């Protein structure tokens, strides 16, 4: 395992800038999730770290080794990096054990111990070794791809949206198996994804790429509760954004006079409220205009009875959900974040 350090990474294709001065540090033995929309530069960042893409500028260190810098470009096979692609990229003509052992020395392939060890790490028993790849489910194929990447004992693991093609229940089980395997090997890992829940639940740290720039890199809770800007707030989770005015350390808006999570200058602002911060209580300051059921939780759409008829959304337990047209009052249960208007 090794710490990853990236400084000033720049990559363009013609006139299109894909990475713009990206700085990233991933502590040894931790997992950092990189979150971004399609085209934000996520895969290019991974491929540059792995050595498949030559940077225009920037420096990459893995442990004590400089693998990319001015005049330096270590080839992929000498970087000690494991790479799992979105498709898994298993060899269809080889059985599971042969896929897993592909990157091992001849002696280790012959002994078979490492192959059995990593299959067990990813939650597959030794009987899977003799199975053809085409007989495996999607989740099993992702686990085999991870086992193959882990087998040579990489210093760094790169995961490129490895769960995106799986259904919801299989995705959850496979994520857990992958996290357990990476923790058991204590491998430094970078995961890229467009799935916010995946990034927030898997990463000890989460970075957000937007148009090739790393907008924020923080612990998941900090990223969610204190986003760097309003666009990021809307990208990471559901957001209720209403106008307000800050004065004397509080903000006045259509939901009341509210405390601030962080200090802000007096004046007009956008107020960020997460739907789970809004509780429904007895009263008639809003009307239920719709709802979206998610099992344990329901998103309730509401229209405030003020002059602006502001629309807001609350997230509540489904068994507490009111009916369409019901009058309710709203109570904001936690300090809010604001951004300059």
């Amino acid at each position: 395992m090794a710490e990853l350090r990236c400084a000033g990474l720049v990559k363009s294709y013609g006139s299109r800038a894909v990475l713009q001065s990206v700085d990233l540090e991933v502590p040894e033995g931790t997992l950092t999730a990189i979150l971004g929309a399609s085209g934000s530069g996520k895969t290019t960042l991974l491929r540059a770290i792995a050595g498949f893409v030559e940077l225009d500028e920037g420096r990459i260190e893995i442990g004590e080794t400089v693998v990319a810098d001015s005049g330096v470009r270590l080839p992929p096979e000498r970087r000690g990096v494991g790479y799992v692609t979105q498709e898994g990229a298993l060899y269809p003509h080889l059985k599971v054990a042969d896929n897993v052992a592909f990157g091992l020395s001849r002696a280790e392939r012959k002994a078979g111990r490492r192959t059995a060890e990593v299959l067990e790490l990813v939650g597959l028993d030794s009987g899977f070794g003799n199975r053809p790849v085409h007989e495996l489910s999607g989740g099993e194929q992702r686990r085999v791809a991870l086992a193959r990447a882990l087998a040579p004992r990489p210093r760094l693991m790169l995961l490129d949206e490895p769960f995106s093609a799986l259904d919801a229940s299989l995705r959850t089980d496979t994520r857990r198996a992958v996290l357990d395997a990476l923790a058991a090997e204590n491998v430094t890992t970078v995961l890229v994804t467009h799935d916010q829940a995946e990034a927030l639940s898997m990463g000890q740290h989460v970075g957000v790429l937007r148009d090739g720039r790393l907008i924020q890199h923080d612990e998941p809770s900090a990223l969610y509760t204190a986003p760097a800007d309003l666009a990021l707030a809307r990208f990471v989770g559901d957001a209720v954004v209403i106008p307000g005015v800050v004065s004397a350390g509080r903000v006045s808006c259509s939901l009341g006079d509210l405390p601030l999570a962080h200090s802000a200058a007096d004046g007009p602002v956008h107020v960020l409220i997460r739907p789970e911060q809004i509780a429904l209580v007895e009263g008639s300051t809003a009307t239920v205009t719709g709802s979206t059921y998610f099992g344990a939780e329901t998103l309730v759409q509401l229209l405030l009875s003020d002059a602006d008829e502001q629309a807001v959304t609350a997230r509540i337990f489904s068994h507490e959900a009111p009916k369409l047209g019901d009058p309710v009052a709203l109570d904001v249960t936690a300090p809010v974040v604001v951004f300059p208007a």
Side-chain angles (χ1 to χ4, degrees), residues 234-295:
R234 286 178 162 137
F235 180 66
V236 181
D238 296 316
V240 175
V241 180
I242 58 179
V245 177
V246 170
S247 178
R250 297 180 70 86
V251 60
S252 178
C253 64
S254 55
L255 291 182
D257 183 50
L258 306 177
L260 297 174
H262 307 282
S263 61
D266 288 357
V269 293
H270 297 294
V271 184
L272 166 68
I273 305 169
R274 296 298 186 186
E276 62 272 16
Q277 292 178 255
I278 300 176
L280 306 188
V281 296
E282 289 188 11
S284 57
T285 59
T287 303
V288 177
T289 59
S291 64
T292 306
Y293 180 74
F294 291 103

